[in-house]
Amino acid sequence: MIEKFSIDYARCLDKKDPISQYRSQFNIPQFQNKDAVYFTGNSLGLQLKNHDFYLKQELEDWKSIAVEGHFHAKTPWFDYHRSLAADTAQIVGAKDTEVVTMNGLSVNLHLLLTSFYQPNKNCYKILCEPNLFPSDLYVLQSQIELRGFDPQEVIMFAPVDEHGVVIENELYSMIHANKSQLALVFLGGVNYYTGQVFDIPKITKIAHSNGIMVGFDLAHAAGNIELKLHEWGVDFAAWCSYKYLNSGPGAVSSVFIHEKQINKNPFRLSGWWGHKKSNRFELQNKFKPINTAEGWQLSNAPILSMSIYRFSLEFFNNVGIKKLITKRIKLSEYLEDAIKLCNQKNKFKIITPGNAKQRGAQLSIFISQDGNKIFNSL
Ligand SMILES: *Cc1c(COP(=O)(O)O)cnc(C)c1O
């Protein structure tokens, strides 16, 4: 057992690993003149050495042709988001027409909820997990108030165990039991705190069989677990690009809207970039949306941020989620065994449910004594 955790053995595993060569393409932050052991990729992914590949081009086009870049840049800015569509669609298992990249994540959640949270006086409740990311909770609360409801009466929290892990069967029964009042089930694909991976297809199926809309915040799922949003029939989702997708601080977000929802042409907050492209610049006085997810765009695109995301997505899809998952399972099992070895006094509890195959790339550990001390020394 101990042998397995020697540095030589670990290096030997690395040598045999089919994707270990990619490590050298990242800039690793330095700590005491050595590569840091970076455990925070789920908060801000690391930078690639070539991350400015497309960025340089955009800076150059801006410098040399300025406003003409909208139509004559190497990748015209007018339509720049299309250069990311196939790769973003691949990350979440969608059609190209069901995804678009724009804004920040919290902004996108507002836009999606504006369209897909459609409460009425009998059916207005929202079911979510209790340890929701704070921003998601604020987004929900303010959306509810905007519609004239009281957040306290609207938000229902799924039942959890002592560590905040949602008890799946109770979540499913809760959907059935409250179907007449539930307007929306809104969950994280992977909970940011516990690392719990939700059974997205199952939740979607149960919600739909009860006539309820389903949306997911995939901030911790995109680039982490395999997703098939189109096939699963998820109504809408959004994610950020700077966590598992390594696109830099505050980088642009993407959304998914299922084509069956796009085709219903629901109300949306609108802006000129969502208007039909053929006459977008003719300054029409009536909004006519593009009939894809692009029809939810408001502003002209943040090209510089998108150019970094574009490079990341290409890099990412080039490696492929399947290989990443294989590696992630090995790493998680290795870490879990290491934790078990030093846990003879039962100080640590892994609260992320399931085994390494059912989890994402996160193990949440609850430390019953000296938590701060251990955190700081890590
Ligand atoms: C990281 C994260 C956010 C952050 O939102 P921004 O608008 O990008 O600042 C929101 N929700 C979840 C679930 C997150 O994990």
Side-chain angles (χ1 to χ4, degrees):
M1 190 74 173
I2 311 266
E3 161 67 12
K4 183 175 167 187
F5 301 107
S6 73
I7 192 72
D8 292 334
Y9 186 79
R11 289 206 170 111
C12 166
L13 289 179
D14 254 349
K15 260 205 196 101
K16 284 193 271 177
D17 184 84
I19 59 172
S20 60
Q21 81 273 18
Y22 290 109
R23 188 178 198 276
S24 64
Q25 298 187 37
F26 287 89
N27 287 312
I28 312 283
Q30 298 298 295
F31 180 71
Q32 295 175 347
N33 295 322
K34 282 196 291 213
D35 285 355
V37 179
Y38 194 69
F39 276 119
T40 332
N42 64 338
S43 181
L44 183 70
L46 294 180
Q47 188 185 91
L48 284 158
K49 289 179 182 158
N50 280 330
H51 239 136
D52 56 0
F53 180 79
Y54 291 119
L55 176 64
K56 276 192 207 142
Q57 178 71 46
E58 303 320 325
L59 288 171
E60 184 52 41
D61 288 343
W62 174 25
K63 182 167 107 188
S64 56
I65 59 174
V67 74
E68 295 294 332
H70 283 296
F71 294 104
H72 302 295
K74 184 153 185 232
T75 307
W77 303 331
F78 175 73
D79 230 7
Y80 197 86
H81 56 279
R82 295 291 312 157
S83 71
L84 288 80
D87 280 313
T88 35
Q90 190 174 330
I91 295 281
V92 297
K95 294 187 175 181
D96 292 10
T97 49
E98 293 173 320
V99 291
V100 70
T101 294
M102 57 186 187
N103 313 312
L105 174 57
S106 303
V107 174
N108 283 339
L109 292 175
H110 272 297
L111 296 181
L112 292 170
L113 289 167
T114 299
S115 294
F116 303 113
Y117 173 53
Q118 298 163 339
N120 61 45
K121 77 177 192 319
N122 300 316
C123 182
Y124 54 90
K125 295 204 172 182
I126 302 177
L127 177 62
C128 50
E129 74 252 55
N131 43 20
L132 213 55
F133 195 86
S135 194
D136 296 40
L137 186 62
Y138 307 150
V139 166
L140 286 178
Q141 288 168 336
S142 57
Q143 280 284 332
I144 293 164
E145 285 173 6
L146 185 66
R147 315 306 173 86
F149 290 87
D150 174 359
Q152 295 266 17
E153 281 175 29
V154 171
I155 300 181
M156 303 180 74
F157 289 118
V160 287
D161 72 9
E162 62 187 313
H163 295 296
V165 173
V166 171
I167 305 160
E168 289 186 9
N169 284 333
E170 293 188 20
L171 167 74
Y172 306 145
S173 341
M174 206 165 168
I175 300 176
H176 285 299
N178 294 281
K179 63 178 176 188
S180 62
Q181 290 189 310
L182 273 174
L184 176 68
V185 174
F186 179 74
L187 296 162
V190 176
N191 181 269
Y192 84 102
Y193 176 78
T194 61
Q196 179 171 23
V197 175
F198 287 101
D199 190 337
I200 298 175
K202 185 160 181 185
I203 292 166
T204 304
K205 207 162 152 203
I206 295 175
H208 284 174
S209 69
N210 288 292
I212 306 161
M213 191 82 87
V214 205
F216 289 91
D217 184 327
L218 301 178
H220 287 258
N224 181 10
I225 60 171
E226 196 167 22
L227 296 162
K228 297 182 179 164
L229 299 184
H230 177 83
E231 186 184 316
W232 296 338
V234 169
D235 294 301
F236 67 91
W239 59 97
C240 53
S241 61
Y242 51 82
K243 292 175 179 164
Y244 288 95
L245 295 171
N246 304 63
S247 301
V252 65
S253 155
S254 301
V255 307
F256 163 86
I257 305 170
H258 200 283
E259 68 184 0
K260 64 179 193 255
Q261 295 302 343
I262 295 173
N263 292 340
K264 290 182 194 160
N265 193 21
F267 175 82
R268 76 203 62 187
L269 293 175
S270 40
W272 72 326
W273 232 247
H275 188 89
K276 284 203 181 324
K277 285 181 233 183
S278 52
N279 58 2
R280 181 189 286 160
F281 286 161
E282 286 167 26
L283 312 178
Q284 303 282 308
N285 54 23
K286 174 139 181 47
F287 177 71
K288 296 206 186 76
I290 307 170
N291 61 357
T292 67
E294 292 170 79
W296 269 260
Q297 295 174 107
L298 299 177
S299 295
N300 74 93
I303 303 296
L304 305 183
S305 171
M306 280 188 180
S307 69
I308 295 179
Y309 188 21
R310 183 179 173 194
F311 187 81
S312 266
L313 288 166
E314 286 178 9
F315 178 85
F316 206 90
N317 284 329
N318 187 29
V319 179
I321 190 79
K322 293 242 182 330
K323 282 191 199 149
L324 285 169
I325 289 175
T326 309
K327 172 87 181 246
R328 167 254 272 170
I329 292 170
K330 282 191 208 154
L331 282 171
S332 295
E333 284 173 344
Y334 192 78
L335 178 60
E336 194 173 354
D337 286 346
I339 291 168
K340 278 188 194 142
L341 185 71
C342 54
N343 196 22
Q344 270 117 10
K345 292 195 190 133
N346 264 331
K347 259 195 199 175
F348 311 118
K349 182 168 190 318
I350 296 175
I351 63 172
T352 309
N355 60 40
K357 293 188 181 65
Q358 298 153 332
R359 296 177 185 136
Q362 174 176 342
L363 272 190
S364 296
I365 300 158
F366 181 79
I367 305 175
S368 52
Q369 293 159 39
D370 302 325
N372 271 335
K373 223 168 97 190
I374 295 169
F375 181 85
N376 289 334
S377 78
L378 275 175

